[in-house]
Amino acid sequence: MSTTIDVESQSPPQLARAPLPNVAPCTVVIFGASGDLARSKLIPAFFNLACEGCPSGEFNVLGVGRTEMTDEKFQVQMRDAVSSAKDARGFTDERWAEFAKRLRYLTGDPSDDGVHKEIAARLEEMYTNKADDVARNYLFYLSTPSSVAKQIIVGLGAAGLASEERGWSRIIIEKPFGRDLDSARELNETVERVFTEQQVYRIDHFLGKETLQNLLVFRFGNGLFEPLWNRNYVDYVEITAAENLGVGSRAAFYEETGALRDVIANHLLQVLTLTAMEPPVAFDADAVREKKLEVLRSIQPMRPKEVRERTVRGQYIRGDVEGESVPGYREEKKVAKDSRMETFAAIQFQIDNWRWAGVPFYLRSGKHLTGKLTEIAVHLKRTPQALFAHTHEGEGKVHDIEPNVIVVQIQPQEAIRISFGAKLPGVKMETGTVELAFNYESTFHRRSPDAYETLLLDAIQGDPTLFTRRDEVEEQWRLITPIEEAWASGESAPPIAFYEAGTNGPAEADALLARNGHTWRHIDGKH
Ligand code: BG6
């Protein structure tokens, strides 16, 4: 039995979006502009920001990509993308016409040395007829495979575009940042030779999600929860990023990447650090990132034997997703018929510090699961005494009150839910589980900005708090690389666990938790 008690007692009046800050004009250069991310996220985010007058004044976007296109063709493609993007708010022909004027495109292979000089010339052209003292503020966005990033960075340096003599120059680098510890270090060294750390923004868009930012407020802005947030009260923590979609048009990327590198190595490890970190001394970039780093440092990389015991890798086979039959991963276009790439991964991490010793953190992510769900579930321990044993009715059995769970839901809803036991009305002592729920949208009556909008705005304003620092990225790979290596070597690898598309994932993932007497929450959001 589950009842929801909404904490908002009275609906607040309709609120407009908080005004955006006044941000200096700049030019954004997107490498990989003909790719999926530019279409689905970046251009829609810039459109939304521009509609609200941000950045102010002269603001332009130059797309760079290998696909041959004119400015006009790029504008038409982006129009389609923006008008159909689920996050596009207030799309109108007039607004688009205004925005389209700011979009330009340059055909070129970013790995080709000459292209950076062309970019520099094209940027200079945009400032023709402008006073000499107009700041040249450039934001470079690398939405390209990490293997190409190195050449772009070196090329930007050689073309003088990293220089901050006439304005600021910043670079955003998409994840995955490298593909293992060595390549991440190498990429960091290349970046450092051209840009200072203050100019570098390693993006992990999960950090721009509203509920994750709220996690810090929830934990460190309230006296209620923090005393419970440790091994004395917490039994285990689950972090899930489940998707009902398959690999779709990104199969080639996915064949190189897999669920571990794509989501767990960055997004979910970042969620873990925010869930587990100590309070920072201040809410500023370095204080927060220092505490996140400590969490990663407190995790020991796995030995091969532990990889076998604490990791699960899965791959979807044909099944039904939302009533539609979908092909298995190996049947997807651009996927090898005998591909061993994982589309699902579940990992148990242990944080060896005073706060968390002995508390397992289970991370899982997968494609073509039963639904889209991103959440953190903090399961508290049972009460020491079972005073109300045999009073709780659930699933046909009579048992004790369920332990409390604090769920921070990131997607599809942005919410915090706390479940606890309560007496059912009636003369008999019967208990049930009820829920105290806070929902962002119904409480504040306004939509949260898309994560990319938040992060792009932060980068333009020069605030790196929600970006990953060099040492964090390397620590992440220190933990992930031994798992990737063990999986690749085969010897200590768990076998690939196949799961039907449209399910909760492989049974092996359930067995991982069952060994410790734990269970995952269902991906459809139910217990
Ligand atoms: C991306 C991954 O970083 O995150 C994708 O490359 C994944 O594979 C996506 O689908 C999930 O992001 P979101 O914001 O939709 O949960």
Side-chain angles (χ1 to χ4, degrees):
M1 219 228 58
S2 188
T3 313
T4 298
I5 306 166
D6 244 318
V7 284
E8 81 233 36
S9 48
Q10 281 169 355
S11 297
Q14 190 83 14
L15 296 170
R17 178 181 169 149
L20 293 177
N22 207 359
V23 176
C26 65
T27 300
V28 179
V29 180
I30 302 176
F31 290 92
S34 46
D36 199 57
L37 187 72
R39 262 198 313 274
S40 63
K41 292 289 177 189
L42 303 181
I43 300 291
F46 281 123
F47 172 76
N48 285 340
L49 291 173
C51 285
E52 305 196 29
C54 185
S56 58
E58 193 76 13
F59 161 62
N60 293 301
V61 177
L62 174 65
V64 180
R66 275 190 291 220
T67 310
E68 190 138 1
M69 267 190 281
T70 56
D71 287 353
E72 292 70 34
K73 188 160 177 214
F74 182 57
Q75 288 160 3
V76 171
Q77 279 199 0
M78 293 304 124
R79 184 189 193 284
D80 293 346
V82 172
S83 59
S84 57
K86 68 174 185 323
D87 297 314
R89 296 186 293 274
F91 180 90
T92 62
D93 288 338
E94 294 71 41
R95 283 182 174 163
W96 177 257
E98 199 43 49
F99 180 71
K101 286 187 217 152
R102 306 162 184 270
L103 290 184
R104 294 175 178 80
Y105 186 82
L106 190 148
T107 307
D109 183 343
S111 60
D112 176 354
D113 284 348
V115 90
H116 304 98
K117 298 234 161 58
E118 274 183 59
I119 294 169
R122 203 64 202 270
L123 290 174
E124 211 36 56
E125 241 174 71
M126 294 184 193
Y127 288 89
T128 322
N129 303 328
K130 303 258 154 42
D132 267 356
D133 58 354
V134 171
R136 266 71 158 160
N137 295 331
Y138 298 139
L139 179 66
F140 299 101
Y141 198 113
L142 270 54
S143 170
T144 52
S146 159
S147 51
V148 188
K150 229 169 110 182
Q151 284 159 299
I152 300 178
I153 293 160
V154 173
L156 289 174
L161 291 170
S163 149
E164 298 204 290
E165 267 171 29
R166 296 194 295 168
W168 52 253
S169 168
R170 297 182 188 135
I171 182 165
I172 302 186
I173 307 174
E174 252 304 330
K175 45 85 25 190
F177 190 91
R179 46 179 296 109
D180 53 21
L181 181 56
D182 286 346
S183 56
R185 278 192 180 138
E186 217 182 300
L187 185 53
N188 271 327
E189 280 158 18
T190 308
V191 179
E192 257 181 15
R193 279 199 290 275
V194 179
F195 292 93
T196 62
E197 180 66 23
Q198 286 69 36
Q199 292 175 280
V200 184
Y201 293 75
R202 296 173 195 80
I203 195 164
D204 183 317
H205 79 275
F206 266 45
L207 293 179
K209 291 183 186 278
E210 202 85 345
T211 342
L212 273 181
Q213 293 175 58
N214 188 40
L215 181 58
L216 296 186
V217 181
F218 180 75
R219 288 191 55 200
F220 305 129
N222 296 295
L224 188 57
F225 307 106
E226 200 47 26
L228 306 174
W229 215 257
N230 56 54
R231 69 187 148 84
N232 296 325
Y233 297 94
V234 175
D235 191 11
Y236 66 104
V237 178
E238 268 178 79
I239 301 177
T240 294
E243 295 182 87
N244 47 354
L245 295 178
V247 294
S249 59
R250 297 168 75 226
F253 161 81
Y254 213 78
E255 272 286 84
E256 292 287 307
T257 313
L260 185 58
R261 281 195 178 94
D262 185 33
V263 173
I264 296 194
N266 31 70
H267 299 328
L268 293 199
L269 278 180
Q270 283 295 319
V271 177
L272 178 146
T273 60
L274 292 171
T275 309
M277 70 191 264
E278 296 298 320
V281 290
F283 187 61
D284 65 43
D286 272 324
V288 171
R289 296 192 294 183
E290 212 49 58
K291 293 298 173 192
K292 283 163 59 197
L293 182 69
E294 280 174 13
V295 175
L296 296 169
R297 285 205 174 133
S298 311
I299 303 176
Q300 296 304 318
M302 286 185 209
R303 292 185 293 257
K305 180 172 167 285
E306 289 159 337
V307 172
R308 186 180 275 282
E309 290 166 0
R310 298 207 209 136
T311 72
V312 173
R313 54 176 174 161
Q315 192 185 83
Y316 63 81
I317 56 171
R318 178 171 286 278
D320 287 342
V321 179
E322 291 170 353
E324 223 178 275
S325 166
V326 299
Y329 180 65
R330 291 178 178 180
E331 299 166 75
E332 304 266 13
K333 280 192 206 118
K334 299 196 182 163
V335 171
K337 295 284 161 265
D338 57 350
S339 173
R340 299 180 59 74
M341 190 47 81
E342 79 285 352
T343 59
F344 175 98
I347 316 283
Q348 176 187 339
F349 285 110
Q350 297 292 146
I351 304 175
D352 294 332
N353 65 16
W354 272 60
R355 187 189 279 261
W356 295 116
V359 179
F361 279 68
Y362 303 107
L363 275 51
R364 74 176 155 167
S365 177
K367 299 277 185 200
H368 263 341
L369 296 170
T370 178
K372 169 106 178 157
L373 179 78
T374 311
E375 67 171 28
I376 307 160
V378 177
H379 294 256
L380 299 195
K381 291 183 173 169
R382 283 191 182 277
T383 51
Q385 184 196 7
L387 191 57
F388 299 104
H390 311 296
T391 61
H392 183 104
E393 295 212 41
E395 291 172 5
K397 287 179 268 165
V398 180
H399 50 85
D400 192 12
I401 290 181
E402 292 297 327
N404 307 127
V405 187
I406 302 174
V407 177
V408 178
Q409 204 172 7
I410 301 159
Q411 284 172 144
Q413 297 199 346
E414 297 180 309
I416 294 179
R417 306 173 191 284
I418 301 171
S419 68
F420 57 96
K423 183 187 172 305
L424 302 185
V427 287
K428 280 207 312 210
M429 176 48 86
E430 278 179 337
T431 62
T433 301
V434 293
E435 210 176 60
L436 201 57
F438 151 72
N439 181 300
Y440 250 81
E441 219 169 270
S442 60
T443 302
F444 296 118
H445 289 262
R446 63 182 180 205
R447 265 188 47 180
S448 303
D450 179 67
Y452 276 97
E453 279 173 50
T454 303
L455 295 175
L456 291 170
L457 197 55
D458 280 359
I460 292 171
Q461 293 187 94
D463 180 357
T465 312
L466 301 178
F467 291 82
T468 320
R469 215 167 55 182
R470 173 186 177 148
D471 42 13
E472 280 181 84
V473 163
E474 291 184 9
E475 284 298 322
Q476 289 174 182
W477 283 121
R478 187 182 61 89
L479 303 177
I480 297 299
T481 303
I483 303 176
E484 289 286 2
E485 283 174 355
W487 283 5
S489 81
E491 281 161 39
S492 41
I496 296 180
F498 293 97
Y499 61 98
E500 231 174 85
T503 61
N504 271 319
E508 284 78 348
D510 298 331
L512 174 74
L513 269 68
R515 258 176 252 149
N516 302 323
H518 300 149
T519 46
W520 296 106
R521 279 164 53 83
H522 285 298
I523 286 169
D524 59 12
K526 298 188 193 121
H527 293 270

